[in-house]
Amino acid sequence: PTQREARRASRGSGRAAVAGEPAVRGENLYARGASDDKGQLLAVVAAAAAYLRTAGRLPLNLKVMLEGEEEISSPSMPAFLRTHRERLAADAVVICDGSLLAPDLPLISHGVRGMAYLEVEVRGPATDLHSGTFGGAVDNPFNVLVRLLARLQDPETGRVTVPGFYDRVRPIDEEERLLLAQVPMGEEQARQLAGVCALGGGETAFSPLERISLRPTLDIHGMPGGFTGEGKKTVIPARALAKVSMRLVPDQDPVEIAGLFRHFLESLAPCTVTLQVRTLGTARPASCDYRHPAVRL
């Protein structure tokens, strides 16, 4: 809709706006996907339209492809690319799912980290037990799970302790490190953006910018299971779960990393419980040569 239509829609007649309906408030447009990433697609289309209105033609052969499955790892994309390989042939590909550091400060990302996403399950007793009866005699799956997860990172260096995890990690190119140092985001600004009292949680040998872009990471996202309701219940749960992911960099193989992760936890798990590690998703890291003529242009 036009800006006027969006304003009219946002005012409505006192009713709540329909979910996903665009609304302009102040200088900003609020809508589902406005910044991730219909806004970026619109920028590409608007640039092409501007060329056509002024020069009458585009300065290159442009193909625009839009897909809506990114958040579920684009399951239809591989088959589509294979089927339409010739139609999609190009000298360079620009992925517009990016951001600006500031309204007047665009950014070119020449790589993306990959991921291995796993679910860790620890099973103990056949059913939930009362800790007053069995506490101290039956290994609590959550106690075991927490001990296992705590072994995944070195508390002093922040390094992932899974054997072989860093074997394929490329060293940081010095020119790339200098380029990254030009990004105007200091530790204080990053701290304020994150809303934390201090930065931490990663490899201490690298700067915060290097840790969030050029280095692999490991994070625990959730630990469902057991008793989490109001009040108290002294339960020894029958099982405990954790969702864990690792951001990966070239040339780490997510399938290989998932295997290393699983083998490491299996080597640590006590015989008092049953451990299962499931891979929920993988994505390979990717990078292109930032010295390439297309990137320079």
Side-chain angles (χ1 to χ4, degrees):
T2 66
Q3 194 176 68
R4 182 180 302 169
E5 289 170 334
R7 285 201 182 97
R8 187 163 59 247
S10 67
R11 288 194 297 269
S13 57
R15 297 190 301 270
V18 176
E21 183 178 338
V24 175
R25 298 199 293 271
E27 294 293 319
N28 298 319
L29 172 66
Y30 293 84
R32 177 175 174 142
S35 65
D36 184 14
D37 56 345
K38 293 174 186 167
Q40 292 92 320
L41 175 71
L42 183 61
V44 173
V45 174
Y51 263 106
L52 294 173
R53 282 197 308 269
T54 55
R57 57 172 300 189
L58 298 178
L60 46 72
N61 182 27
L62 178 68
K63 303 175 184 180
V64 179
M65 184 172 70
L66 169 66
E67 65 104 6
E69 296 182 334
E70 179 221 346
E71 298 297 346
I72 56 172
S73 301
S74 304
S76 303
M77 182 70 79
F80 181 85
L81 294 177
R82 286 192 293 268
T83 302
H84 300 282
R85 184 181 182 90
E86 293 184 6
R87 182 183 177 192
L88 297 171
D91 297 315
V93 176
V94 177
I95 301 173
C96 68
D97 183 10
S99 60
L100 300 173
L101 293 175
D104 59 347
L105 195 61
L107 181 73
I108 297 176
S109 298
H110 62 88
V112 291
R113 289 186 293 183
M115 177 182 287
Y117 198 112
L118 302 112
E119 181 178 70
V120 181
E121 180 179 13
V122 176
R123 285 188 172 271
T127 61
D128 290 355
L129 301 176
H130 193 292
S131 67
T133 304
F134 291 98
V138 174
D139 226 346
N140 186 319
F142 257 110
N143 292 3
V144 174
L145 179 61
V146 169
R147 292 198 298 266
L148 293 176
L149 296 178
R151 299 281 296 275
L152 292 173
Q153 281 180 301
D154 186 301
E156 299 297 325
T157 65
R159 286 175 63 85
V160 176
T161 55
V162 176
F165 182 79
Y166 293 99
D167 286 358
R168 298 182 186 273
V169 175
R170 295 182 194 174
I172 297 178
D173 177 88
E174 284 305 313
E175 185 178 349
E176 190 174 21
R177 178 177 267 131
L178 292 174
L179 284 171
L180 191 64
Q182 297 176 24
V183 176
M185 180 185 290
E187 291 196 25
E188 179 60 22
Q189 184 182 6
R191 185 192 67 78
Q192 291 180 0
L193 285 171
V196 295
C197 60
L199 298 180
E203 295 175 276
T204 56
F206 298 89
S207 72
L209 273 177
E210 291 169 346
R211 298 202 301 258
I212 64 174
S213 61
L214 302 176
R215 297 296 298 174
T217 62
L218 183 147
D219 283 290
I220 300 166
H221 303 296
M223 297 176 65
F227 177 69
T228 58
E230 292 186 15
K232 59 184 183 179
K233 182 179 179 183
T234 56
V235 62
I236 295 177
R239 66 173 191 151
L241 288 169
K243 307 280 189 177
V244 182
S245 80
M246 290 161 284
R247 298 278 177 176
L248 308 176
V249 298
D251 295 305
Q252 289 178 300
D253 182 331
V255 175
E256 178 185 32
I257 293 296
L260 294 173
F261 179 93
R262 182 177 64 257
H263 294 321
F264 181 54
L265 287 190
E266 288 173 346
S267 72
L268 299 176
C271 63
T272 54
V273 297
T274 300
L275 174 74
Q276 188 172 14
V277 179
R278 293 180 285 270
T279 300
L280 301 185
T282 60
R284 297 187 68 87
S287 66
C288 67
D289 184 3
Y290 56 88
R291 305 175 186 87
H292 190 278
V295 181
R296 294 298 190 188
L297 283 173

